Amino acid sequence: MLVFHPDYLKHLQSPWHVESPARLKAILTSMKARGYLDDALEPKAVRMEDLKRVHTPEFLEYLKEYGEGPLDPDTTMHPETWDIARLAVGGTVLAAEMAVKEKRGYIALVRPPGHHAGPDYPGGFCYLNNIAVAAHRLLDKLDRVAILDFDVHHGNGTNDIFYRSPRILYISTHQYHIFPGTGPAEAIGESDGVGFTVNVPFASGCGDSSFRMATREVIEPIVKQFAPQAILVSLGTDAHYMDPLASLTLSSPGYIEMMASALKLAKETCEGRLAITLEGGYNLEALAEVVTGTEALLRGDSPNVVFTEVRDPDCAGRRIVQRVKDIQRRHWKL
Ligand SMILES: [Zn+2]
């Protein structure tokens, strides 16, 4: 099931920016071809009180009053940005709440993305942290929520927001040493949150078999032991071999396999409560086929993908995953 608002298409960083409305248009076209848009839900903007659970009042005031101009070289504010960003948070909150209520998978097709936005900072095309606000909302009724972040970039904002929390398990697979530079395997949380942050910092070239090893030997055992009551996913398709921004090499079937594992974990641990929100992904065809393939997976249809080359047959990330296991073994049975 999908959550979408037409205003997400109105968000324009600048005419040549990679995080463009064309991304969502490509997804919508392929979703529409399969009839998946017919029953999409339309969200409302998130409430200010929900934003304040994650962001400081000073930061929210700063964004709201900013007007027009760059927040950083990649992230520009326009008069309409505040409203659309709040609508993106609202979409992710709605998907999460519906997933909990209906015990099934939902995808929020949102822009702008959110996982680089921290308690008091924007960045990397992000303004407000969509998934963090949704996770916080769920904590009203649930004790534990897991967030899986499969975007190629480390979700530094989400990482920072929940770094001291034992109620949110944050697991990120990402390419290390690219933007934003954070997310080493040693970053495992702080104080009560130690062990509840799991970073898998892949190197250039890692793809299907490396992600499969991380899924089987790190993500699945840790999530099962954590026993979340809902699972949220930050889905960026920029770890795809077609993506122009980074150099991991997941194929479309590799992505679908990651999402199938997330769905299986949700069914095993929390009655199928799975909510997915869109982060990055800049090759339009790969983006559209992975996200539409994920919706097909949720509906029990065939994913139908064409980018099937396996570029990492020999598990280039073996030593990295092993290192993550060695570090996390102090907190989890691995
Ligand atoms: Zn990204």
Side-chain angles (χ1 to χ4, degrees), residues 84-96:
I84 304 176
R86 284 190 306 138
L87 210 46
V89 184
T92 306
V93 168
L94 180 62

Side-chain angles (χ1 to χ4, degrees), residues 115-116 125 151-154 236 238 245 279-282:
H115 73 154
H116 295 306
F125 323 157
D151 191 278
V152 81
H153 302 100
H154 181 236
D238 39 11
L245 256 60
E279 302 284 357
Y282 305 98

